[in-house]
Amino acid sequence: MKRKLLTLFVAFCLLLTQMTGLAFAADSDTPYTEAMEKTGAYITQQLSKNGAGYGSDWMILGLARSGANLNDKIFSDYYDDVVKTVKECKGELHKRKYTEYSRTILVLSAIGKDPTNVGGYNLLEKLADFNNVKWQGINGTIWALIALDCKNYEIPKVKGVAVQSTREKLIEEILRQQLADGGFALSGTKADSDITAMALQALAPYVSRDAVKKAVDKAVLCLSEMQNDNGTYDSWGTENAESICQTIVALTALGIDPGKDTRFVKNGKSAVDGLMLFYDAKGGFRHVNTETEGYKPVINGMATEQSFYALVAYDRFVNKKNSLYDMTDGEKPLAKPAKAAITSLKSTKSKALTVQWKKVKHADGYQITYATGSKFAGSKSVLASKSALSKTVTKLKSKKTYYVKVRAYRTDAKGNKVYGSYSAPKKVKVK
C-alpha cells in the first residue's frame, strides 16, 4: 500500500512539473554581500574567459563601481576595444539608437576615462542633438540625462544641430511623458516598472525642483503599488530579476532604502529580498524562477550583470557612498564664491531702492535679499547677472525701512546654484 501511494505521489509530481515548468523555491537566505562578492567573481571569470570589450559594458560598470582595481587588465582591454570600435565606425556607434553613446559614456566615466576624446571623437557631442536623443523614445532621453550627469558634463554646443540639447529640455521631456498612474512606459497608458524606475534614476539629481519633486513622489508611489507580495516586480507580465534591479538602483539614487523602507516591503519581503530569490549559488542570477516564454530558470547574462550592479548600488547606499551613477567620487565640489560686500544702498525714487556691491571673482550671478525687519522674516529675493554690480528694487512700501543683503553664486553643470556668504546687511528708508 505504501509503495502504491509513493508511486502515485511521484507521478503527480512529474505531472505538476510538466504543467508548470521547472521552478525554484521562492526563498533565499544568502546575505546580499555574499551574493555580490560571488557574482563579482563570476563576472570577472566570464570577462577573463571571453574577453572584455565593447558590449560587456554593464559588467565593466558593475565591477568598477564595486571598487575593483581600475588598473586591472580587464579594464584596459575594455577601453582599448572601445577606442578601436569608435575609430572603426568613425565615431558613429549607431545612427539612431543614442543609448549606445549614453551607455558608453557612463562606463568610460566609471573606469576613469575621458568620453570627450575616444580615439579622437567626443561622444558627448552626440547627446547635443535633442531630436536624435529623443527619437528612441523616453529611453533615449532618460539615459542621455543620466550619462551627462554622471560627472556633471557640460553639453557641447554643436553646429548644424536642429535642436540643441539642454538639461532643461531633457527633464521636461521626461516629465511630459509621465502617465496618469504616476509611472512611465515606453508605450501605452499603463506604467512599466523598469521604465518608471529608470525615469526616477534620471530625475533623482533634480528633486529639489518643485515640478520634479511632485513627479518623483507620484512615481515612487506607483512603483510601490506595483511591487508583488514577495518583494518582486513584473515587466510585460513576467516576474523577473531585472525589474527589481532597476527599482533598487532608483531607490538608492533617491536616498530610499530598498531593503527597509516600508513602502517597498510587502509581507516582510523587501525589494532586496525579492532580488535574492533569483540568486544562484554559483554566483549568478536567473532571469525567471519558472520556465516561461522561452526562458529557463538558469543563470542568465543580462539578469546577472544587472543584479550585480543593483547589489553594488545597494552596498554603496548602505555604506554612504555616492550612488551608482554619481561618479564624482573624490572630485572636489564646486567651490563657493567669496563673501559679497555692499558698497552703497540708497533710495532716490519713491517706493524703490538701489543697492551696489563689489564684484566677486568667478561669480555667475548675485542674489539680493530684502525685508522690513533685521531678522529678514518674510524676506524676498531677486537675482542679478554676473556682469551687474547694482540692482534697483521697486514696488516697495513708502516711508518704510528696508534691510538688504547680497550674496554671489556659482552654477554647476546641472544648473544648481552654489551660494557664497551673505554680505553684512545694510538698511535704508525708502522714499
Side-chain angles (χ1 to χ4, degrees), residues 46-114:
Q46 293 298 306
L47 289 171
S48 299
K49 177 182 177 182
N50 302 320
Y54 183 74
S56 59
D57 313 274
W58 294 116
M59 289 188 283
I60 294 294
L61 181 138
L63 288 174
R65 299 302 283 158
S66 72
N69 183 359
L70 297 181
N71 292 320
D72 191 279
K73 188 175 182 295
I74 286 176
F75 298 109
S76 59
D77 285 351
Y78 170 79
Y79 180 67
D80 290 345
D81 194 59
V82 169
V83 172
K84 178 184 175 183
T85 302
V86 171
K87 284 183 175 180
E88 287 177 348
C89 67
K90 297 181 180 179
E92 188 173 73
L93 295 173
H94 200 283
K95 289 185 177 180
R96 302 311 301 269
K97 286 178 61 179
Y98 274 36
T99 49
E100 295 292 313
Y101 302 101
S102 298
R103 184 186 69 247
T104 306
I105 289 167
L106 272 173
V107 186
L108 291 178
S109 300
I111 64 175
K113 300 298 183 180
D114 183 6

Side-chain angles (χ1 to χ4, degrees), residues 20-23 288-297:
T20 62
L22 184 61
V288 293
N289 280 331
T290 302
E291 186 172 348
T292 179
E293 298 180 3
Y295 288 99
K296 293 184 178 181

